[in-house]
């Protein structure tokens, strides 16, 4: 089971206790992917849905039957050319018009006549529970999420801009930052960063998926911090090594010109310690000599100045 399929499975296991909540979920699902289709057997029209998610199709058929007493037919279609399996749902029956009016697939015009003009039934989506149900229904219909180990990314592929903006406003209401883009002819609403991704999964009610995302983010953060620490240590070691090489070059130049015996005792001790311990930091060198770090630094600088004077006497070589 893919990560997206797991989320949809979790959504379908959430118990819906009120008809208004069911209507909100069915509204999002219907507005996102439903199409009219003639049903020859009953000589009537029905609503046709196609989805890759079998759990979503079965869940919607159950709700439509339970709350609207609709008949339904579920079928499985294999597309050899696309190497994919789709699941189809057909809803029909005497209460279909009420279903379409409640979900926003049909509206009532100024003359009180029902017309096929889609609109979001905003006035019927008032409570937080209904708003959450709408978002869940939309994800069941046209949502996907990437496995957290690969990326923090969830998106809706939505067929009209009004539905996209409404979903975006609902997500913002719940504190989830979603962005909008276009991909060819599709409109995409997506969530990208780690924390918003986790908040979104929590909003969907996908607790197992949310925990997986949270665990992955914690591991990634720990790995990043460890990598930064290693990089910092390596950078410090690199700087220490470069400094030590310059100091040893200076010491060799000075001792070639003056000899170790020609150096004052304090400078000779530091020079010998540095040559014999090129890998040590100033602090570690100070511990070896039993003096302060500032004293070691001062004496090495003194040796460097002496080396620079010798270079100047030799014409800058």
């Amino acid at each position: 089971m893919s990560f997206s399929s797991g989320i949809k499975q979790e959504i379908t296991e959430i118990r819906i206790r009120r008809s208004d909540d069911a209507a909100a979920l069915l509204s999002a699902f219907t507005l996102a992917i439903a199409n009219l289709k003639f049903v020859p057997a009953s000589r009537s029209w029905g609503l046709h849905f196609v989805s890759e998610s079998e759990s979503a199709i079965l869940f919607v058929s159950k709700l439509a039957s339970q709350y609207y007493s609709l008949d339904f037919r579920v079928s499985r279609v294999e597309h050899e050319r696309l190497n994919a399996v789709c699941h189809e749902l057909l809803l029909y029956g005497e209460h279909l018009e009420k279903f379409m009016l409640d979900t926003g697939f049909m509206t009532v015009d100024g003359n009180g006549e029902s017309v096929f003009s889609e609109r979001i039934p905003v006035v019927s989506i008032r409570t937080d529970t209904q708003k959450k149900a709408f978002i869940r229904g939309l994800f069941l219909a046209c949502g996907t999420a990437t496995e957290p180990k690969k990326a923090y990314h969830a998106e809706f592929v939505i067929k009209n801009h009004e539905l996209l903006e409404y979903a975006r406003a609902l997500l913002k209401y719940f504190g989830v930052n979603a962005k909008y883009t276009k991909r060819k002819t599709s409109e995409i609403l997506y969530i990208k960063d780690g924390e918003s991704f986790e908040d979104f999964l929590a909003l969907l009610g996908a607790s197992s998926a949310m925990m997986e995302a949270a665990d992955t983010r914690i591991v990634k953060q720990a790995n990043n911090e460890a990598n930064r620490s290693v990089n910092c240590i390596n950078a410090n070691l690199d700087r220490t090594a470069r400094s030590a090489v310059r100091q040893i070059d200076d010491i060799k130049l000075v001792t070639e010109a003056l000899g170790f015996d020609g150096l004052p005792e304090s400078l000779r001790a530091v020079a010998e310690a540095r040559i014999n311990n090129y890998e040590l930091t100033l602090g570690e060198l100070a511990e070896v000599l039993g003096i302060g770090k500032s004293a070691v630094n001062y004496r090495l600088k003194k040796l460097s100045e002496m080396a620079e004077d010798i270079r100047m006497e030799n014409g800058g070589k």
Side-chain angles (χ1 to χ4, degrees), residues 8 29 33 49-53 56-57 85-88 140-141:
K8 292 181 180 182
F29 197 84
I33 62 172
F49 305 80
V50 179
S51 173
E52 292 182 359
S53 173
I57 288 294
V85 175
C86 288
H87 302 274
E88 297 186 357
L140 288 174

Side-chain angles (χ1 to χ4, degrees), residues 37-47 71 73 90-94 96:
K37 185 174 183 178
F38 188 71
V39 186
S42 60
R43 292 180 170 273
S44 62
W45 291 93
L47 281 179
D71 297 319
R73 186 167 69 240
L90 184 64
L91 295 178
Y92 57 98
E94 61 177 311
L96 183 66

